[in-house]
């Protein structure tokens, strides 16, 4: 069971401990709004490949590899479906598209 309001007091904890003492399948956790935001906003690594269409150019620029080429709209759609808002944190490169 989850509670996303205020943390229950000692009397509430005693009631939970007594009422559900022998229940192994029931567990009470306090899950606040801060926990919800932490779960929603956590960073997940993105490890994927993008197929380029036609010719492309690869250059080394300031110790980074830069690739210029065309990407299918379906590739971008697939990225958004798979990773969603997680892409917006990657240097703003994809933010202009969305």
């Amino acid at each position: 069971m989850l509670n996303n309001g205020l943390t229950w007091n000692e009397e509430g904890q005693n009631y939970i401990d007594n009422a559900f003492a022998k229940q192994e399948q029931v567990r009470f956790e306090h899950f606040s709004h801060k926990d919800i935001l932490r779960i929603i906003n956590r960073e997940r690594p993105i490890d994927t490949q993008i197929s380029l269409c036609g010719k492309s150019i690869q250059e080394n620029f300031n110790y980074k590899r830069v690739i210029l080429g065309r990407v299918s709209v379906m590739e971008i759609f697939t990225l958004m479906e798979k990773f969603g808002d997680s892409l917006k944190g990657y240097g703003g490169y994809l933010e202009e598209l969305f």
Side-chain angles (χ1 to χ4, degrees):
M1 305 297 272
L2 289 174
N3 172 18
N4 66 351
L6 296 174
T7 306
W8 48 83
N9 60 19
E10 187 176 340
E11 181 182 348
Q13 186 63 47
N14 288 337
Y15 177 80
I16 291 170
D17 292 341
N18 292 329
F20 298 96
K22 296 181 182 179
Q23 296 286 333
E24 293 181 11
Q25 296 179 342
V26 177
R27 186 177 80 191
F28 281 80
E29 294 284 336
H30 181 263
F31 200 76
S32 71
H33 63 284
K34 291 179 183 177
D35 296 319
I36 293 169
L37 290 174
R38 184 178 44 81
I39 295 290
I40 290 173
N41 294 326
R42 72 174 178 235
E43 291 185 16
R44 294 178 299 223
I46 295 176
D47 184 16
T48 190
Q49 294 183 358
I50 298 175
S51 297
L52 300 175
C53 303
K55 294 182 179 180
S56 62
I57 299 172
Q58 173 186 324
E59 296 280 336
N60 292 327
F61 181 73
N62 289 342
Y63 305 102
K64 296 179 183 177
R65 186 184 312 179
V66 177
I67 300 174
L68 300 173
R70 292 183 180 181
V71 178
S72 164
V73 173
M74 287 306 296
E75 287 281 339
I76 302 298
F77 176 77
T78 304
L79 280 174
M80 287 306 295
E81 286 292 307
K82 189 171 182 181
F83 299 107
D85 287 338
S86 299
L87 293 172
K88 291 187 177 182
Y90 281 82
Y93 300 116
L94 295 176
E95 286 183 14
E96 294 177 11
L97 296 174
F98 308 108

